[in-house]
Amino acid sequence: MFERVGLRCRRGLYLIHRWLGIVACLLFVLWFVSGLVMMYVRFPALGEVERLAGLPALDLARAQLGPEQAWRAAGLPGWPASRLWLEMMVRADGGAEPVWRTRDAAGRPLTIAASDGRLIESVDVARAAAIARAFAGGAPVRHLETRERDQWTMPNANAFEALRPLHRFAVDGGAGLELYVSARNGEVVRDSSRFERGWSWLGTLLHYYTFAVLREQPMLWRQTVLWTSGLGIVAALSGLIVGWWRLRVRRRYRGGAVTPHRGWKAWHHLAGVTGGVFVLTWVASGWLSMTPAGLLARQGPSTAALAAYAGERGEFPWPPSLAPAAAAGLREVEAWRFDGQAMLLLRDARGERQSLRATDGRAAVVTPEAVAAAAHRLMPGAGLARMDLLTEADRYWYSRRQPLLLPVWRVEMNDAAASWLYVDPSNGRLVASSNRDARLRRWLFNAAHSLDFPWLIPHRPAWDGVMWGLSLLGLVVSVSGVLIGWRHLRRRRG
């Protein structure tokens, strides 16, 4: 009886792998090819350095109202919980005015003129065109449309949902550059080139199904990703088991072969046994990235906790005392308070940062004791387990694409979630946080899916070589599976 049940289960697993594998291998081909493209071409996005370089030079002398004065002049209560920064905003006539930008408690954008405190709540096409023209260095621009969203401004990973609708402009030139300007507050929120758009069809759009017709329905899109990747997990796991069952290393098949198959079936069998574990972990980590049932979902501090972290607030001094050298070449100034100090975070067109006290223009002083006290305010009731000043990347504090902030304080708390806080030692800013789940996700997703291992990611092109080698092995498994499935279906049809 048990032998009969075992044979049925075994046959059932063969059938599951055969029929699921036909669809799964086709998906694997698409995922592996698009993953290789994504290694070198990302979905269109406006980088921080690009954004700063496109802004007009900041004229601090024209900012008559400081952050609190502008806030009160606009009739807004209290102090904004979100980031508050000053930059120049181009007018329709081509001139520019200083404005304070932030978000309200509901996440809606607020833009306040630093000259008279008026709220700027809409930007028409004429002014948006002037903003786009200045951002593009004076190149002529053409207004293409104004709409809520299109293929290149879908909600995934977007931080500008509240900035819609968006004016889209084409920049004259050979690169096919397009700019998106918010009709709410005039921010340039995205740029894309013909190169990025073209390759993204074969990269990100294919990999994550980020097609407008599907991505505009978030629940349907999410379920599509979960179920297709779940199907891939079952197909890969069943194939790995069947492959090992059919492999003979000691008692070999006729002619000394370790596989009973020939041709594409042999390629599929041997490549599947060799690279099956990688294919399985790769698709499983992709499934996990969708946080099914909230598993390993990211959670950051609340707005109230961040306000407590900054500490007591006094009147923000304005105008600030800055040396001419510090004020030259500025693109953005952020107002920030920490441990009773009013600070200015300066950024130039190259993204270089400098933190100064607003009272005297000297470098801000942030002591370890102040950081520890702020951590206790952020997480009352949690004790401080350890503090380390990181001067180089480690297994959890690293970056493959964006510049990495170093040095940085890592503050380890002894709360139930084992939280870690990363604090900028130059100004006390909380730049990131993680907990036990986030660190587990780092291994189950980042390491398993992108091979972000500490011993590999600093070394390119070694990382590229490993990614290409494993991806090509996965392609051998999947392409051979597609061919085998296609021949099987043709025989059944005949």
Side-chain angles (χ1 to χ4, degrees), residues 208 225 284-292 441 445:
Y208 293 110
V225 176
S285 59
W287 176 80
L288 187 64
S289 70
M290 299 301 295
T291 62
R441 178 188 172 92
F445 173 64

Side-chain angles (χ1 to χ4, degrees), residues 27-360:
L27 290 172
F28 288 154
V29 171
L30 301 180
W31 289 336
F32 280 118
V33 170
S34 58
L36 289 172
V37 172
M38 289 172 59
M39 286 171 56
Y40 307 102
V41 183
R42 304 297 292 177
F43 191 77
L46 184 65
E48 182 67 7
V49 175
E50 290 179 295
R51 183 187 70 84
L52 291 169
L55 293 175
L58 181 59
D59 187 354
L60 274 174
R62 296 175 55 191
Q64 301 297 317
L65 301 179
E68 286 180 313
Q69 297 164 320
W71 197 254
R72 287 194 295 265
L76 301 170
W79 176 266
S82 299
R83 192 171 81 93
L84 178 65
W85 74 97
L86 180 73
E87 66 179 42
M88 299 297 286
M89 181 176 174
V90 176
R91 299 189 303 264
D93 61 5
E97 62 176 330
V99 295
W100 287 101
R101 296 194 187 276
T102 186
R103 300 283 182 109
D104 64 14
R108 293 183 295 265
L110 292 174
T111 300
I112 309 169
S115 55
D116 53 17
R118 71 183 185 282
L119 278 172
I120 301 174
E121 299 180 287
S122 64
V123 174
D124 59 18
V125 173
R127 185 167 190 178
I131 292 171
R133 190 180 307 113
F135 192 92
V141 299
R142 291 177 291 108
H143 178 248
L144 299 177
E145 61 179 346
T146 299
R147 60 187 297 181
E148 287 292 324
R149 54 182 54 83
D150 65 6
Q151 182 62 70
W152 309 109
T153 59
M154 300 308 297
N156 58 311
N158 273 345
F160 49 82
E161 275 302 298
L163 299 172
R164 304 181 189 276
L166 304 174
H167 302 298
R168 183 164 72 99
F169 294 92
V171 180
D172 287 354
L177 181 64
E178 293 183 358
L179 298 175
Y180 292 83
V181 181
S182 169
R184 298 290 183 190
N185 70 347
E187 283 189 69
V188 178
V189 297
R190 173 144 294 176
D191 66 346
S192 70
S193 66
R194 186 183 299 111
F195 178 85
E196 291 173 327
R197 294 191 298 273
W199 280 103
S200 288
W201 285 102
L202 194 59
T204 305
L205 297 182
L206 198 60
H207 200 80
Y208 293 110
Y209 316 147
T210 318
F211 303 102
V213 65
L214 180 61
R215 195 61 184 90
E216 286 180 335
Q217 305 177 62
M219 287 304 299
L220 177 61
W221 170 78
R222 174 179 169 80
Q223 292 302 316
T224 301
V225 176
L226 282 171
W227 281 97
T228 53
S229 55
L231 180 150
I233 292 173
V234 175
L237 180 58
S238 61
L240 195 60
I241 296 172
V242 168
W244 279 105
W245 279 348
R246 301 289 284 168
L247 189 71
R248 289 186 184 176
V249 178
R250 294 182 179 178
R251 296 172 52 249
R252 300 197 175 193
Y253 296 96
R254 182 179 301 176
V258 296
T259 174
H261 305 296
R262 296 293 182 269
W264 281 111
K265 284 188 176 182
W267 280 99
H268 184 73
H269 184 196
L270 296 178
V273 171
T274 306
V277 173
F278 164 70
V279 175
L280 176 60
T281 57
W282 191 71
V283 69
S285 59
W287 176 80
L288 187 64
S289 70
M290 299 301 295
T291 62
L295 184 66
L296 303 185
R298 294 187 179 96
Q299 291 183 344
S302 66
T303 301
L306 290 174
Y309 174 86
E312 297 182 1
R313 298 192 298 264
E315 184 72 18
F316 203 97
W318 198 263
S321 299
L322 294 182
L330 284 182
R331 291 296 189 271
E332 178 184 286
V333 169
E334 182 177 348
W336 164 252
R337 289 194 180 98
F338 180 77
D339 190 36
Q341 300 182 74
M343 302 184 190
L344 298 174
L345 279 59
L346 315 180
R347 296 180 178 89
D348 62 18
R350 297 172 299 175
E352 297 293 333
R353 299 149 37 97
Q354 192 177 10
S355 300
L356 303 177
R357 293 187 299 200
T359 52
D360 55 15

Side-chain angles (χ1 to χ4, degrees), residues 430-492:
L430 179 65
V431 294
S433 63
S434 71
N435 56 22
R436 188 182 293 106
D437 283 351
R439 293 190 290 277
L440 180 59
R441 178 188 172 92
R442 180 258 179 278
W443 297 109
L444 296 183
F445 173 64
N446 298 86
H449 205 73
S450 302
L451 301 188
D452 286 354
F453 294 104
W455 49 266
L456 183 60
I457 54 175
H459 307 291
R460 297 190 71 171
W463 176 82
D464 300 70
V466 174
M467 286 293 292
W468 271 91
L470 292 174
S471 297
L472 290 176
L473 183 60
L475 279 171
V476 172
V477 177
S478 49
V479 170
S480 60
V482 170
L483 292 173
I484 294 168
W486 172 250
R487 290 175 179 177
H488 181 73
L489 291 174
R490 287 187 65 184
R491 285 197 301 269
R492 288 185 63 86

